[in-house]
Amino acid sequence: MRRVTLVTGANKGIGLEIARGLADLGDTVLLGARSAERGQEAVLQLAGEGLDVHFLQIDITDSTSVSAAVKSITNEFGHLDCLINNAAIKLEFHPSPPSSGSMAVVRETYETNVFGTMGITLALLPLLRLAGSGRIVNLTSGMGSLTLASDPDSVYSTVPLLAYSTSKSAINAFTVQLANDLRSTGIKVNAADPGFTRTDMTKGLGSEDPKVSALVAIHLATLPDDGPTGGLFDANGRAPW
Ligand SMILES: NC(=O)c1ccc[n+]([C@@H]2O[C@H](COP(=O)([O-])OP(=O)(O)OC[C@H]3O[C@@H](n4cnc5c(N)ncnc54)[C@H](OP(=O)(O)O)[C@@H]3O)[C@@H](O)[C@H]2O)c1
């Protein structure tokens, strides 16, 4: 039987490539997007490639939208095998000293990257518990790594983005908390750092192609039952928190 996988923010960028990659491996993919127009367009593209992909409207900051999505998955599939928390925003573009950061930007960023991600995950947990081997993958960033950011020799110590970086540190902490909580259930929770990738989020800058960056999350989404949980991984394997 096909696994049922939800990818949030999958209408473009890395999320679209994760959706394509997992559907290509045989999953039924629910392509989450906050815009029906952008979501349907992406679904048409992937369905045209013969992939089993369905549009699911989800704005992760909107509890009504999240509840409707949970209801829809419950009615149509009765469970969820895999959740990819990909949707996120980065409102800061240029590094600036955290001491002059904007709390409005921090709040807006956390609404999506932290509260939105945590909210949809908790709302979908009952459906993930019903799957034999649930998998949760949280997209993070090297910018959220406290180990790298506190290393003066690391490039990450030179790119302070108060809102975005700390939101990803929070997602790293959430990953560990949830993985510990779910360790006995068979649900694996890991964080994926896709690397610096050419998408709208980076205004097309970056060393990686989204198709290649998607591979870390695809690997974690398809871990075998004896695979790791509570870890952070990038293209080179395990990465520092
Ligand atoms: N690109 C990089 O270099 C890089 C590096 C490290 C980590 N990451 C992480 O990788 C993930 C994907 O990034 P990306 O570069 O592919 O970004 P992107 O091209 O900007 O795509 C972000 C996706 O998230 C969606 N989204 C934003 N807010 C949402 C909300 N409230 N509800 C539902 N969907 C929402 C966007 O929808 P709309 O189209 O409607 O805006 C879009 O589909 C993110 O978690 C990002 O932090 C990226």
Side-chain angles (χ1 to χ4, degrees):
M1 211 162 84
R2 284 175 184 274
R3 294 194 325 158
V4 181
T5 290
L6 168 62
V7 186
T8 65
N11 53 289
K12 66 179 183 183
I14 297 166
L16 177 65
E17 294 304 334
I18 296 170
R20 177 182 268 123
L22 287 173
D24 210 30
L25 290 174
D27 286 8
T28 291
V29 172
L30 310 179
L31 185 149
R34 55 182 166 177
S35 150
E37 195 185 337
R38 291 193 287 273
Q40 297 281 14
E41 202 177 304
V43 165
L44 275 180
Q45 191 186 330
L46 299 189
E49 297 168 17
L51 301 174
D52 188 16
V53 178
H54 309 258
F55 170 63
L56 192 60
Q57 197 281 333
I58 307 176
D59 179 338
I60 64 168
T61 64
D62 177 354
S63 59
T64 307
S65 162
V66 169
S67 298
V70 172
K71 202 168 167 188
S72 163
I73 299 172
T74 305
N75 291 342
E76 202 161 335
F77 302 100
H79 75 284
L80 183 67
D81 294 284
C82 180
L83 168 65
I84 312 285
N85 282 316
N86 170 79
I89 56 172
K90 180 159 81 67
L91 301 174
E92 306 139 300
F93 193 61
H94 299 293
S96 69
S99 49
S100 58
S102 151
M103 278 311 295
V105 170
V106 172
R107 284 201 177 87
E108 192 176 343
T109 303
Y110 275 45
E111 228 18 92
T112 301
N113 296 9
V114 182
F115 308 136
T117 298
M118 288 186 187
I120 190 164
T121 306
L122 299 189
L124 286 167
L125 259 187
L127 287 172
L128 284 153
R129 285 181 191 275
L130 293 173
S133 304
R135 300 286 178 265
I136 299 172
V137 181
N138 296 324
L139 272 285
T140 186
S141 163
M143 293 200 201
S145 164
L146 298 182
T147 305
L148 297 178
S150 58
D151 175 0
D153 293 331
S154 165
V155 68
Y156 291 107
S157 68
T158 66
V159 279
L161 298 174
L162 179 64
Y164 181 77
S165 299
T166 61
S167 76
K168 291 300 187 181
S169 303
I171 284 307
N172 289 352
F174 177 55
T175 303
V176 172
Q177 293 290 328
L178 199 61
N180 288 341
D181 186 4
L182 299 175
R183 206 172 283 274
S184 64
T185 67
I187 300 175
K188 296 189 185 301
V189 190
N190 289 291
D193 173 9
F196 189 31
T197 310
R198 295 183 290 276
T199 65
D200 286 355
M201 182 173 280
T202 60
K203 299 198 193 310
L205 298 176
S207 47
E208 297 299 337
D209 181 84
K211 211 177 182 60
V212 175
S213 300
L215 294 175
V216 185
I218 291 170
H219 170 68
L220 295 174
T222 53
L223 283 174
D225 285 343
D226 61 354
T229 189
L232 163 57
F233 298 84
D234 64 16
N236 300 314
R238 215 172 256 275
W241 290 113

